[in-house]
Amino acid sequence: MLKTKTSSATDLESVDYLKERYKVYKAMLLDLLAGADSPTQSTVLTLAMRLVKEETSQDVRHAEQAWKTGVFAELVKSLIVHTACGPAREEFVEKFVEEYDDVRFYTFYTISNFLSRTDIADKPRADATGNALNLLSSIEGIPDSQDQLEDWYGETSHQPKHQLLSLTQHKKRAQEAWLAVLRSELSKDQRKNVLAIMSSRVTPWFSQVELLMDFLTDSYNFGGATSLLALSGLFYLMQEKNLDYPQFFQKLYSLLDHDLLHSKHRSRFFRLLDTFMSSTHLPAALVASFIKRLSRLALLAPPGAIVVVLPWIYNMLKKHPTCTFMIHREIRDPAARKRLEEEGMSDPFNMLEEDPMATRAIDSCLWEIEILQGHYHPNVATLAKIISEQFTKRNYNLEDFLDHSYAGLIDAELGKELKKAPVVEFEIPKRIFTTEEGRLDRLGSLLSNAIGGS
Amino acid sequence: MPPSQLKALKTSLREKGITAPSKSRKDKKNGPPTTTSGRDRATALAKIRTEMNPYEYRHISSRPAKFPSTSVKGSYKDVLLRRPGVSVSKGEEVRRKQLLPEMRGRLKSGGLVDRRIGEGDGGMGEEERAVARFARERGRNVFDLEGSDEEGGGGGLLTHGGRAIADLEDDDMKLSGDEGGSDEDDGFLVRKRQREDEEDEVVDEQPDVKKSKKEVMTELIAKSKLHKYERQKTKEDDDDLRDKLDAGMADLLPLLRAQVANNLPPPPPPKPVEVDGDVSKINPERQKLLDGMDRGAADREYEKRLRELARDTRAAPSDRTKTAEEKAKDAAEKVKELVIRREKRMRGEAVSDDEEVEHERDDSEEAAVVDEYGNEELGDDAEEFGLASAAVAKVEKVQHVDEDDFDFDADLVASASEADEESASEDDSEVEDDDAAPAAEDNEEDEFISGILGRGANAVPIADPSTKTANTSESLACPRTHADFLALIKDNAVEELELPTLIQRLRSQYLPSLAAENKAKMENFSRVLVEHLVYMAEHDQEMAVMEQVIRHLHSLSRTYAVAIAEALRARLGAWVEGSSSSEGGGGGLGVGKGDLVVLVAIGEIYPTSDHFHQVVTPAFTGVGRWLGLNAGVKGMGGEKGRVGALMVGLCVKWVGGSGRFVPEAVRFTLAALGSRGGAIGEHLENLKGMADLWKEKSAFLEIFSPFVPILRQLGKPARPTLQHLTALLDASRQARKPLMLHHHRPQALRLSNPKFEEGFNPDRHYDPDRERSEAGKLKKEFKREKKGAVRELRKDANFVAREQLRSKRVEDEEHKRRERRLVAEIQSESRN
């Protein structure tokens, strides 16, 4: 549009002038993007993209140059840098990135290019990373085959070997962009978000999944829910890509903390745990540690978690009969029995020991399960009884016990019709809240405290 | 070891009386000679001879005598001898008849069969033949065209396959008796079998002479006549005896009556009953009828009397008035029974009609399809434990409320309403002790009940005496909705404290015994009362009044259990959904004042120790959920801590009877004490309660050890609790034993084949696989048939060879004779 070689001086002058004006216009436009409200942002985006269209509708070489350095690159950069332009970012992804393959291609290019620059300060970089992550994770349409690359925003006359026509190249760009994001410092929440969408939005772009190894290992070492989320990815790498993770089980054991059974990723973890522990060649001491620790945790767990732990323990005991000493231990040595009578038995299991091979859980007993047999919820109590009945069932399908919650348990009962009259306590108490003297008793004072009245 | 032949012979001879054991001289002198007569002796000897001859007779079954009872078919037991010699000769005969002509005519074709009567019979003279043929010709039906060429058979007889039907039937019967029937056309083997059967016919019952048919018949007739006579005789004897007894009955009856009603006033002296023969035996009614009374009148009278009898109230012992001690004992027994039932429910055992639940479970188990590896593939493992996902709509059977379960409730209701009636009729007589209330002797309980009934308003501590007058004067409208109730309260200007009196008046006015529709009205009122309870809590009304309302709800629950339970459950549902008017924040985390009071009321009204209860279980789960979700350390100081203290207090109270474990309560208390928020004292109290509750449990150490460092940090206020807890922990450590959960009896493997059979019969097959046993049967039959066929063919071949040899010999003889004659002729010619 504005390029010439053999023109007169005045023409050149005017071209320079126009270029200058164009530059100023672009800058103003993109500045507007940062601060304005969403309708303005939308307008700006549309205008900018029109400019992009103009710039890229030249011959191939110039077009590529325009994509990489022109108004498009500027636009993407400002979308990433400014946190405030969230609506514009969304619109950009929705209207352009998802629609046009070349837009997506060069978006990836620009992002990876920008994030790998080293001259950015920490704060803007963190913002940029977050925004880039935001942008990348909202991209849904991942092409499966070469044939799907057919929507172009700019010039369409590519020669057959052009990189825009190659699926591998597309994937490579995306992979680079993702790696650039993942290499930067991510906050805990960002990490969790990435891990949550890992299988659906991230790994499909990767032709070499191994590249995610560092990220996953770091996340796994992070601890808490992040570790839980990283577990599946890591397991995939170990299984398929021969990743060697030293002390995997020790790490896994350390994940069994007090929050695990209350976490919302509980069922996800148990699915994986079931897979990890499915081998019959695991040392009994290790399995016993897992069993003992989980039953210890179940002591304070909600019913939804207890009903997962119990069948899991059953399956483990069935698979590792050596561990059944934990539920049935007969002391045959008379001296030891006498000592037991006199001194009782303290639990040899060490909850603080981090190495699952050294907890001495195998010498302990599952007293925790016994008390759970008197759980206040009838279904849980009944389920806990399976441990003390004969092990005639081969195994329980763990999947059936996952995903139970308080709400489900209550609804299951309240959802039913009241078919017959409930039993009523036969004795009508004389006093409930008050004592003989007319004062409040304990229940009454608790209630009045709780209600906040009187 | 079988006895020797000689011994057997001796014993059989002795048994038959042929040789007598050597007698003493005395015996010989006295007794007549016991040797049997000559003819008898001969037959007996013949019998013994045949019995002792192992070649003449043999057992049909070749099975050794090891299983004599099983290897023999029932009554054939002593008929099981057959004579192989006879059967061989019989078979020979048959062959001669059938096979020989075949053999002779083998190479011949065509020819004539002479079927004229007596043609081949040498014993018939020319004359006789002619007579027989003539008779035959005379007897033939002129119109029977088809029978024209049938001359050998029996003229007009029906035939099948060229044989007379009579013969056929005989054969068939034999076949069906032995082999289960087969057809004539079955071919050689069957024919052969028939032959064998014919041979078997030779098997005879007794070796002595057969009786003729006539003799048998006469014997039979004589026997049957004898039996008939005997029967008549016994019948007559019985009749005589009965008559005698009937005659004595009149004397006996008064005695009997006296025995039955020994505690009744002594019966009137027995009337003299004429026992003079026939007349006394006839019913007077019948006698009249016989005497010519009108039949219709008799029927009417009969009907009348019948009806009178039916309407007649039988004497029944009336309830004796019980003494005070007896009443107390009864009440105590009732309470004991109720406690036992509660304990049963606590253990989750079926109390009465809970079997239905079991059935349901069975059904669902059956529904689960078991695959070949024994895994239930389709069944949800979790469903077995009632943990099916709520989304799965379970098909539920329509169940009717079984009254049995509530028999004692019904009892309570009945007795309560009896008491109601008495008082409602403004009768000033003593209100009967309500034996429904377990502590009926207690004065206060009395007051409570009479309070409910609207009498003695002064018995209710908070009731205003002024309402006593209003009590009877005006009638109140039964409120249908809560708004109605509020309006009623407002209209009558009932103050807060007078509310229980108002409820009493309503209850006494709308007693279900007064009007039919009152039941529905009170049911509705119960619902209203639940709503009002929530309303009172939300408006911070007096605790003592709420207490009274809860008690009213409790007593109403005995009658309107379903209505109140539904109202409470609806309230619970609203709380769990988070849609109730809770003030403590939205979502599942909040809990309103109304919800708290409802929870407390549920704990009071229903038995919380039950393994499962339709209202308590969801309420408990709701409490657990609240505690679980609020166990974060933040904000324990404020309302959360106080509400939590109540919740944990409720948990401790609810599991007090059953000693169940509530993980959430422990967790919440741990968090509350750890955060050092408000209401520390209450939480410490709760902790103490929990520790006392679960001190017997083996996991006590694991549960309560985490509290120790926290209590240490809390310092002085927690010191008593800490000491208490440490003591309990030490005791628990002392008492703890290794777990032994699996003292089970070893389970036997299930066996279906081979199976132990009572009264095993080696001849029968017990194979449970039907196909296999059928196949076995066929195989066996095939083998037997084959063997039989081979044997038969061999015998036939022998016979043929023998016959051929014989005919050859005859031919040779003839040839030699002819040759000799020729030679002689030639010699004589040459000599000449």
Side-chain angles (χ1 to χ4, degrees):
Chain A
M1 180 169 75
L2 296 169
K3 305 242 167 179
T4 43
K5 266 186 184 170
T6 54
S7 332
S8 63
T10 47
D11 280 357
L12 277 174
E13 210 171 276
S14 56
V15 164
D16 278 346
Y17 172 75
L18 282 174
K19 269 189 176 171
E20 195 59 33
R21 299 315 315 151
Y22 182 56
K23 230 180 197 168
V24 170
Y25 175 67
K26 277 199 295 190
M28 275 173 65
L29 200 63
L30 294 177
D31 276 347
L32 260 178
L33 199 61
D37 50 355
S38 52
T40 325
Q41 279 184 15
S42 173
T43 322
V44 170
L45 185 70
T46 320
L47 286 173
M49 283 314 283
R50 245 181 237 162
L51 290 181
V52 171
K53 179 110 187 160
E54 289 306 318
E55 280 192 5
T56 54
S57 299
Q58 310 171 36
D59 63 298
V60 179
R61 261 183 51 224
H62 284 117
E64 198 176 329
Q65 195 61 29
W67 276 115
K68 285 183 178 170
T69 56
V71 68
F72 180 73
E74 297 289 326
L75 174 70
V76 173
K77 262 177 219 164
S78 38
L79 281 176
I80 293 176
V81 170
H82 303 298
T83 316
C85 53
R89 217 178 299 131
E90 268 171 39
E91 197 182 335
F92 177 65
V93 170
E94 193 183 317
K95 282 196 180 155
F96 300 101
V97 178
E98 296 281 12
E99 295 289 322
Y100 305 105
D101 292 314
D102 46 358
V103 174
R104 192 179 56 224
F105 184 86
Y106 288 109
T107 308
F108 285 141
Y109 175 82
T110 318
I111 290 176
S112 60
N113 225 11
F114 178 75
L115 286 179
S116 46
R117 270 163 55 182
T118 46
D119 55 342
I120 318 170
D122 280 352
K123 176 78 178 75
R125 175 180 279 276
D127 286 349
T129 310
N131 295 335
L133 183 64
N134 194 332
L135 200 154
L136 286 179
S137 50
S138 50
I139 297 174
E140 279 172 353
I142 299 161
D144 298 328
S145 66
Q146 210 96 359
D147 311 338
Q148 289 178 9
L149 305 171
E150 51 191 13
D151 302 315
W152 310 111
Y153 191 67
E155 190 57 43
T156 47
S157 64
H158 303 297
Q159 57 263 51
K161 283 283 170 103
H162 193 268
Q163 55 177 1
L164 272 177
L165 288 176
S166 154
L167 181 67
T168 343
Q169 285 297 325
H170 274 264
K171 284 202 165 180
K172 203 175 163 206
R173 291 282 163 233
Q175 187 175 315
E176 276 169 9
W178 268 113
L179 283 177
V181 169
L182 297 182
R183 271 194 208 110
S184 344
E185 285 291 313
L186 288 176
S187 73
K188 197 174 163 188
D189 286 336
Q190 285 169 345
R191 213 171 255 276
K192 273 190 191 167
N193 285 341
V194 174
L195 288 169
I197 57 164
M198 184 64 92
S199 59
S200 60
R201 308 258 172 97
V202 184
T203 42
W205 287 115
F206 277 66
S207 44
Q208 291 165 290
V209 194
E210 302 91 297
L211 293 171
L212 282 170
M213 191 168 75
D214 283 341
F215 174 72
L216 286 173
T217 321
D218 286 349
S219 307
Y220 188 50
N221 289 332
F222 217 79
T226 322
S227 304
L228 294 187
L229 289 168
L231 206 53
S232 62
L234 207 57
F235 178 64
Y236 173 78
L237 289 182
M238 286 166 68
Q239 207 177 21
E240 301 289 323
K241 305 290 177 186
N242 225 359
L243 172 73
D244 186 25
Y245 193 90
Q247 298 187 313
F248 175 77
F249 279 102
Q250 186 166 346
K251 188 72 201 159
L252 188 67
Y253 183 69
S254 74
L255 288 183
L256 306 178
D257 57 10
H258 279 287
D259 296 326
L260 172 75
L261 294 183
H262 301 274
S263 145
K264 61 178 178 225
H265 307 297
R266 183 175 68 208
S267 45
R268 194 178 159 144
F269 174 77
F270 270 99
R271 272 189 200 104
L272 289 169
L273 184 69
D274 201 31
T275 321
F276 297 148
M277 305 293 282
S278 57
S279 164
T280 47
H281 289 53
L282 292 174
L286 183 125
V287 177
S289 298
F290 274 87
I291 293 176
K292 178 72 184 176
R293 197 177 173 96
L294 272 176
S295 49
R296 183 68 70 83
L297 295 179
L299 264 188
L300 297 181
I306 299 176
V307 297
V308 189
V309 172
L310 289 170
W312 183 81
I313 289 180
Y314 179 94
N315 290 351
M316 281 296 116
L317 291 176
K318 192 88 182 161
K319 211 173 273 174
H320 301 274
T322 332
C323 296
T324 47
F325 282 111
M326 298 171 80
I327 53 170
H328 187 89
R329 190 184 301 278
E330 273 188 74
I331 309 291
R332 300 192 190 274
D333 177 24
R337 197 183 292 176
K338 191 155 177 281
R339 203 165 60 240
L340 198 71
E341 286 292 330
E342 284 163 5
E343 296 167 16
M345 184 177 176
S346 55
D347 198 342
F349 173 68
N350 182 4
M351 188 80 171
L352 301 174
E353 173 63 53
E354 282 179 3
D355 183 4
M357 294 297 289
T359 57
R360 292 191 63 206
I362 192 95
D363 300 325
S364 177
C365 290
L366 295 180
W367 293 288
E368 294 89 348
I369 301 299
E370 199 188 21
I371 198 169
L372 287 179
Q373 293 181 348
H375 192 272
Y376 71 90
H377 199 279
N379 297 350
V380 179
T382 315
L383 184 60
K385 295 223 170 76
I386 62 169
I387 303 289
S388 61
E389 272 156 23
Q390 290 209 336
F391 279 31
T392 46
K393 200 172 163 75
R394 212 164 61 159
N395 69 334
Y396 284 92
N397 184 8
L398 207 61
E399 195 61 40
D400 298 341
F401 295 93
L402 299 170
D403 305 322
H404 285 285
S405 62
Y406 283 113
L409 289 175
I410 298 173
D411 284 347
E413 178 47 33
L414 286 183
K416 279 184 204 156
E417 279 279 298
L418 195 62
K419 274 178 288 190
K420 62 180 192 184
V423 185
V424 178
E425 177 67 52
F426 56 85
E427 195 175 351
I428 301 181
K430 288 191 286 289
R431 305 265 173 240
I432 300 171
F433 304 128
T434 53
T435 57
E436 296 290 324
E437 300 87 45
R439 278 184 303 164
L440 294 177
D441 65 357
R442 179 166 151 71
L443 188 62
S445 59
L446 279 176
L447 181 63
S448 66
N449 274 344
I451 288 180
S454 60
Chain B
M1 195 178 158
S4 74
Q5 284 272 304
L6 189 61
K7 256 185 194 162
L9 178 63
K10 271 183 181 166
T11 46
S12 55
L13 281 176
R14 203 181 307 131
E15 274 164 10
K16 296 288 184 232
I18 293 166
T19 56
S22 56
K23 286 174 182 171
S24 68
R25 207 176 287 161
K26 211 176 173 185
D27 284 342
K28 270 181 189 166
K29 259 184 207 165
N30 292 348
T34 48
T35 39
T36 41
S37 65
R39 191 169 156 264
D40 285 353
R41 193 185 158 88
T43 50
L45 275 177
K47 201 173 175 186
I48 290 171
R49 207 168 285 135
T50 49
E51 267 175 10
M52 294 305 291
N53 184 357
Y55 303 108
E56 195 66 22
Y57 286 93
R58 77 179 169 90
H59 284 277
I60 269 188
S61 165
S62 57
R63 192 177 289 286
K66 200 169 163 188
F67 307 108
S69 61
T70 50
S71 58
V72 168
K73 284 184 215 155
S75 60
Y76 282 82
K77 195 174 171 179
D78 35 12
V79 197
L80 265 183
L81 296 170
R82 61 182 200 171
R83 295 185 285 185
V86 177
S87 64
V88 163
S89 65
K90 191 97 181 172
E92 194 74 16
E93 190 130 335
V94 170
R95 275 196 191 86
R96 196 161 292 132
K97 259 188 201 157
Q98 295 183 348
L99 199 58
L100 199 59
E102 262 177 47
M103 200 180 94
R104 282 188 183 148
R106 197 171 46 169
L107 296 171
K108 299 181 173 96
S109 58
L112 284 168
V113 181
D114 195 350
R115 282 196 185 171
R116 287 172 300 169
I117 294 173
E119 199 49 43
D121 193 352
M124 241 178 171
E126 196 65 33
E127 194 93 336
E128 285 167 354
R129 262 180 229 164
V131 168
R133 283 174 195 172
F134 181 67
R136 170 76 188 253
E137 203 59 31
R138 288 278 306 266
R140 180 182 289 180
N141 190 349
V142 195
F143 305 104
D144 181 13
L145 296 174
E146 273 151 30
S148 56
D149 61 334
E150 207 224 52
E151 287 175 326
L157 288 178
L158 287 173
T159 60
H160 175 73
R163 296 172 68 194
I165 287 290
D167 297 349
L168 266 184
E169 268 173 1
D170 231 354
D171 281 352
D172 282 350
M173 266 148 68
K174 244 178 268 157
L175 279 176
S176 63
D178 223 338
E179 297 293 333
S182 60
D183 213 15
E184 186 85 358
D185 303 328
D186 273 358
F188 168 75
L189 287 179
V190 177
R191 243 187 295 137
K192 173 241 137 196
R193 187 117 33 78
Q194 278 164 13
R195 244 185 267 158
E196 266 194 350
D197 288 341
E198 279 155 23
E199 286 170 29
D200 284 349
E201 268 180 271
V202 181
V203 174
D204 55 357
E205 300 192 339
Q206 274 159 353
D208 52 355
V209 260
K210 250 186 171 175
K211 285 170 186 163
S212 78
K213 199 168 183 182
K214 202 184 169 191
E215 273 172 342
V216 170
M217 284 314 287
T218 47
E219 205 171 289
L220 261 178
I221 290 166
K223 257 186 192 167
S224 74
K225 273 185 176 164
L226 184 74
H227 282 306
K228 198 175 172 189
Y229 173 73
E230 274 173 2
R231 273 204 304 277
Q232 275 176 350
K233 184 100 195 304
T234 47
K235 202 180 168 198
E236 272 169 24
D237 286 352
D238 284 353
D239 280 349
D240 285 350
L241 196 64
R242 207 174 295 131
D243 285 350
K244 237 190 213 166
L245 278 174
D246 283 352
M249 194 60 184
D251 300 333
L252 208 60
L253 265 177
L255 283 174
L256 272 174
R257 277 201 200 105
Q259 189 125 31
V260 168
N262 52 355
N263 52 353
L264 290 179
K271 277 178 225 156
V273 183
E274 317 100 279
V275 195
D276 43 6
D278 296 339
V279 190
S280 67
K281 273 188 274 171
I282 295 175
N283 197 325
E285 197 77 1
R286 198 169 156 69
Q287 183 68 39
K288 254 190 241 169
L289 201 67
L290 286 177
D291 288 350
M293 195 185 149
D294 181 24
R295 200 184 163 87
D299 279 354
R300 268 199 298 284
E301 193 166 339
Y302 175 77
E303 286 285 318
K304 204 178 105 195
R305 287 204 182 177
L306 190 72
R307 231 171 279 139
E308 272 173 11
L309 274 173
R311 239 182 273 143
D312 210 11
T313 46
R314 312 250 155 74
S318 64
D319 273 343
R320 194 165 45 82
T321 317
K322 286 172 180 165
T323 63
E325 293 103 69
E326 276 174 325
K327 265 190 212 161
K329 204 176 140 211
D330 282 359
E333 261 169 27
K334 191 140 208 165
V335 172
K336 204 171 147 199
E337 194 204 334
L338 288 170
V339 168
I340 288 170
R341 288 179 83 108
R342 173 160 66 188
E343 277 168 0
K344 257 188 156 178
R345 291 199 307 267
M346 184 176 102
R347 291 189 295 271
E349 290 165 20
V351 175
S352 58
D353 65 337
D354 287 3
E355 293 90 337
E356 284 169 36
V357 181
E358 300 281 314
H359 286 316
E360 238 173 84
R361 181 157 295 176
D362 285 351
D363 290 347
S364 68
E365 266 169 37
E366 273 166 35
V369 179
V370 181
D371 76 353
E372 53 188 319
Y373 305 111
N375 277 340
E376 283 153 41
E377 291 280 322
L378 299 180
D380 190 332
D381 280 350
E383 201 172 320
E384 210 177 309
F385 302 97
L387 294 169
S389 52
V392 182
K394 263 175 88 181
V395 184
E396 275 158 9
K397 286 191 292 183
V398 180
Q399 283 182 328
H400 297 288
V401 176
D402 196 331
E403 303 291 339
D404 275 4
D405 195 25
F406 305 104
D407 50 356
F408 66 93
D409 283 3
D411 196 336
L412 296 183
V413 172
S415 54
S417 61
E418 270 170 32
D420 290 351
E421 273 170 287
E422 277 188 71
S423 59
S425 57
E426 299 298 323
D427 193 344
D428 272 342
S429 69
E430 280 267 320
V431 176
E432 220 180 39
D433 250 355
D434 190 354
D435 60 348
E441 279 67 44
D442 201 336
N443 263 336
E444 299 218 9
E445 196 68 26
D446 256 347
E447 281 167 4
F448 174 65
I449 286 157
S450 53
I452 279 180
L453 301 172
R455 296 177 71 253
N458 53 351
V460 182
I462 45 177
D464 193 324
S466 66
T467 50
K468 201 173 163 189
T469 46
N471 193 0
T472 47
S473 58
E474 54 181 305
S475 74
L476 300 163
C478 190
R480 273 200 222 133
T481 60
H482 187 225
D484 283 358
F485 190 55
L486 288 179
L488 186 77
I489 293 172
K490 209 173 165 194
D491 290 348
N492 292 357
V494 180
E495 285 172 29
E496 210 179 302
L497 290 177
E498 291 167 13
L499 188 74
T501 327
L502 180 73
I503 297 171
Q504 280 161 24
R505 282 175 59 197
L506 279 168
R507 283 187 67 183
S508 59
Q509 194 179 332
Y510 293 97
L511 277 175
S513 52
L514 296 181
E517 66 271 22
N518 277 0
K519 195 156 189 269
K521 278 185 184 168
M522 284 312 284
E523 227 174 83
N524 225 345
F525 178 62
S526 308
R527 289 196 193 97
V528 169
L529 217 50
V530 172
E531 273 181 60
H532 189 69
L533 184 66
V534 174
Y535 170 86
M536 282 165 68
E538 278 164 2
H539 290 77
D540 295 331
Q541 293 192 359
E542 197 61 43
M543 297 285 265
V545 185
M546 280 200 270
E547 177 182 282
Q548 289 305 315
V549 172
I550 292 175
R551 295 178 70 205
H552 273 293
L553 274 176
H554 193 160
S555 93
L556 279 170
S557 274
R558 287 177 172 170
T559 327
Y560 312 105
V562 175
I564 291 176
E566 270 171 358
L568 290 172
R569 277 162 59 105
R571 184 75 208 169
L572 275 179
W575 170 44
V576 172
E577 298 285 320
S579 62
S580 74
S581 55
S582 58
E583 297 154 21
L589 293 179
V591 59
K593 295 171 181 177
D595 301 322
L596 288 175
V597 173
V598 163
L599 286 175
V600 172
I602 287 173
E604 295 301 328
I605 295 173
Y606 299 107
T608 49
S609 64
D610 285 11
H611 180 67
F612 172 79
H613 191 281
Q614 296 103 309
V615 186
V616 176
T617 303
F620 214 147
T621 319
V623 170
R625 173 177 134 132
W626 189 91
L627 288 172
L629 295 180
N630 285 293
V633 180
K634 274 179 258 170
M636 277 296 180
E639 190 197 343
K640 190 169 121 183
R642 292 197 300 274
V643 174
L646 171 69
M647 291 278 198
V648 177
L650 278 181
C651 288
V652 173
K653 190 169 185 302
W654 288 0
V655 298
S658 55
R660 291 187 210 294
F661 178 58
V662 193
E664 289 91 343
V666 180
R667 186 156 171 263
F668 186 88
T669 311
L670 200 60
L673 290 173
S675 74
R676 302 187 187 206
I680 288 289
E682 299 294 353
H683 289 301
L684 284 175
E685 184 77 9
N686 283 337
L687 174 62
K688 194 159 166 288
M690 287 192 285
D692 286 336
L693 203 56
W694 299 321
K695 65 183 170 200
E696 301 293 324
K697 305 275 179 190
S698 57
F700 185 83
L701 278 174
E702 278 75 27
I703 299 168
F704 288 98
S705 314
F707 282 101
V708 175
I710 291 174
L711 291 181
R712 285 223 176 89
Q713 278 178 5
L714 281 175
K716 207 177 172 197
R719 199 156 293 155
T721 321
L722 180 62
Q723 277 170 2
H724 186 71
L725 194 62
T726 350
L728 286 179
L729 281 172
D730 283 344
S732 171
R733 190 172 294 117
Q734 283 268 316
R736 186 148 75 170
K737 300 276 171 303
L739 267 191
M740 287 201 271
L741 293 177
H742 279 244
H743 274 305
H744 298 299
R745 236 164 30 136
Q747 267 189 343
L749 291 177
R750 243 177 66 192
L751 287 181
S752 54
N753 188 28
K755 187 172 122 192
F756 178 75
E757 225 19 90
E758 197 94 23
F760 176 74
N761 182 353
D763 280 348
R764 276 194 59 197
H765 296 285
Y766 294 98
D767 198 340
D769 187 349
R770 210 177 152 66
E771 245 172 63
R772 193 167 49 191
S773 70
E774 290 289 319
K777 253 185 214 164
L778 268 179
K779 236 183 233 169
K780 202 173 168 194
E781 195 182 345
F782 168 74
K783 204 172 158 191
R784 196 179 57 193
E785 288 288 306
K786 192 176 158 187
K787 253 165 104 178
V790 166
R791 194 167 55 200
E792 201 64 17
L793 283 174
R794 207 174 280 147
K795 276 181 186 169
D796 282 357
N798 276 340
F799 178 77
V800 168
R802 238 175 11 245
E803 284 301 318
Q804 273 177 346
L805 189 66
R806 198 166 55 207
S807 63
K808 190 143 203 267
R809 261 193 203 141
V810 170
E811 267 175 36
D812 282 358
E813 197 72 22
E814 183 76 5
H815 182 75
K816 256 183 198 166
R817 202 163 45 86
R818 228 171 18 211
E819 197 182 63
R820 230 181 278 138
R821 208 182 59 214
L822 280 176
V823 167
E825 250 172 50
I826 291 167
Q827 274 180 348
S828 67
E829 266 174 28
S830 67
R831 226 177 273 157
N832 294 336

